[in-house]
Amino acid sequence: MRDSFGSKFGTLVAMAGSAVGLGNLWRFPYLVGENGGAAFIIVYILLGFLICLPIFVSEFIIGRRSQKNAFAAFRDLSDGSAWRWVGLFTVIVPLIVLSYYSVIGGWSVEYLIKSLTFSFTGGSSRAQISTMFSGFVSSTWAPLGVHTIFLLTTTVVVMIGIKDGIEKFSKVMMPLLFVIVLTIAIYSVTLPGASAGIDYLFHPDFSKIDAKACAAALGQAFFSLSLGFGTILTYASYASKSDNIMTQSASTAISDLMFALIAGVAIMPAVFAFGIDPQSGPGLVFETLPYVFGQMPAGGVVAILFFLALLVAALTSSISMLEVAVAYLMEEKKFSRLTACITLFVICWIVGALCSLSFGPLSHIKIDGGNLFDFFDSLSSNVLMTLGSLFTVLFVGWRLKKTDIYDEFTNGGTLSANAKMFGVLWFLIRYICPLAIIAIFLTNLLS
Ligand code: PFF
């Protein structure tokens, strides 16, 4: 029998685990600060609910209707048509993302170990911390070692299964993650000078809201909600038929937003309290913050908590990416869960190792001006994810039968609130979402 989640809460924490990840911790706070603070947050919320939530619901509908892996879901719901290749596409894309995500997951393992040995409390200068980071990522063996540890942990959780592995892991880790990030946020706002960080995050500047800021908000919301990667679809295929798709989807989106906002309040006030200009991405997390931790009272403990949170957030996301292909291999190619996990571990380890080495021994290999890691990152977040989401809404809006979607969304007509909002949802999925996705695609292409 097919494994499934044991409860509504289990489904919710697993989906929230997929959504809450590096995107929330290292990109959202910076994007908000740079693009108009509270004005950007308003745009993010509006676009999130008008465009991303319907896409999320679409993935949920496909997954739960079919109760199959992503490939079979597209194939069977379209009576074996060519749509199944879209399904296969959404199986392959998360593997690419997992390969490079695991490299960064490995870095968070390394930095957790460094903070456990109190490496950031010696009052090192910013230059020393930066040299430590660049020395580490450009070396050969240490990053490969931690990439292996991270990917192995991900694989073991997935190997245990849906209810006993992914669900149990998420049920413990997501509340822990929430408590840690909230604790750091409370501490961070009490630091002298923290208000400059709050101002950076929340001061509304509507003059910064243009097409580019909207495209940035939408791109970030896509990545943050794990849309277009087959992960929500696959998790939804393990959800109970009695779950309310609308409340589960909205709760995941709200949890993801809350995490992103609290992460901003945990990070930016601390950065500003020490008079530093914020950065985005790896620079923020592995260079700026370790320096800040070295300066603040009890920074050693905060560093441990922060890197633990980073690791947990990355793990629950990477687990969801691996499960997409595991489900495919098990159901379509008749692999056992164990063999599927080992096969995918080997593939992702090799691709991830190439990405890891692209910061050091393979840094001379350039694609489109960047290293292999940058190439995979920008290809998947700018192109593949957008295409995956576009295919998903087109499939639901234009290929599936409206009556079937209604039936799935309202649990056979029994959820009256969902029945009332169906008309609006249908309109958004059919017309607004595809147009908005094409618009971000073009804005990114032309800018
Ligand atoms: N949502 C994750 C984050 O914000 O870091 C990233 C992610 C997870 C993307 C799962 C894609 C995915 F399938």
Side-chain angles (χ1 to χ4, degrees), residues 40-55 210-211 213-219 221-222 225 432-433 436 440:
F40 182 83
I41 295 176
I42 294 171
V43 172
Y44 185 83
I45 294 175
L46 274 179
L47 293 178
F49 279 85
L50 275 180
I51 291 158
C52 299
L53 193 55
I55 304 176
D210 52 14
C214 292
L218 212 49
F222 273 28
L225 283 172
I432 305 297
C433 294
I440 11 171

Side-chain angles (χ1 to χ4, degrees), residues 140-354:
T140 303
W141 298 108
L144 284 183
V146 284
H147 158 56
T148 311
I149 295 175
F150 182 87
L151 195 58
L152 202 60
T153 313
T154 303
T155 311
V156 168
V157 176
V158 175
M159 206 182 269
I160 299 173
I162 303 301
K163 201 183 281 131
D164 295 333
I166 300 178
E167 182 172 350
K168 277 207 179 123
F169 187 80
S170 311
K171 271 184 170 163
V172 176
M173 292 301 169
M174 291 311 287
L176 175 74
L177 182 60
F178 183 72
V179 171
I180 296 178
V181 180
L182 193 64
T183 309
I184 303 178
I186 292 170
Y187 177 69
S188 182
V189 291
T190 59
L191 290 167
S195 58
I198 297 286
D199 200 51
Y200 172 79
L201 274 178
F202 296 114
H203 177 75
D205 181 356
F206 284 93
S207 69
K208 291 210 170 136
I209 303 298
D210 52 14
K212 252 187 104 189
C214 292
L218 212 49
Q220 167 66 11
F222 273 28
F223 187 77
S224 196
L225 283 172
S226 315
L227 298 176
F229 288 91
T231 49
I232 299 305
L233 189 163
T234 304
Y235 273 7
S237 75
Y238 301 121
S240 154
K241 282 282 182 193
S242 67
D243 281 13
N244 182 331
I245 293 185
M246 192 62 211
T247 42
Q248 289 284 48
S249 304
S251 310
T252 311
I254 291 169
S255 317
D256 187 54
L257 176 68
M258 292 318 289
F259 262 103
L261 290 173
I262 299 173
V265 176
I267 294 170
M268 290 309 172
V271 168
F272 277 85
F274 294 94
I276 299 172
D277 265 348
Q279 297 164 277
S280 171
L284 172 68
V285 172
F286 297 109
E287 296 182 69
T288 307
L289 286 179
Y291 170 74
V292 168
F293 296 144
Q295 307 298 310
M296 64 170 55
V301 179
V302 182
I304 295 173
L305 289 176
F306 179 80
F307 287 111
L308 181 64
L310 193 68
L311 176 59
V312 167
L315 269 175
T316 49
S317 294
S318 62
I319 285 167
S320 71
M321 298 179 213
L322 184 59
E323 178 56 28
V324 180
V326 167
Y328 167 75
L329 287 183
M330 285 174 67
E331 290 166 17
E332 302 308 309
K333 304 289 168 202
K334 305 297 167 226
F335 281 45
S336 68
R337 185 166 274 279
L338 181 70
T339 332
C341 284
I342 296 173
T343 310
L344 295 167
F345 171 84
V346 173
I347 296 173
C348 293
W349 189 87
I350 295 171
V351 181
L354 292 175

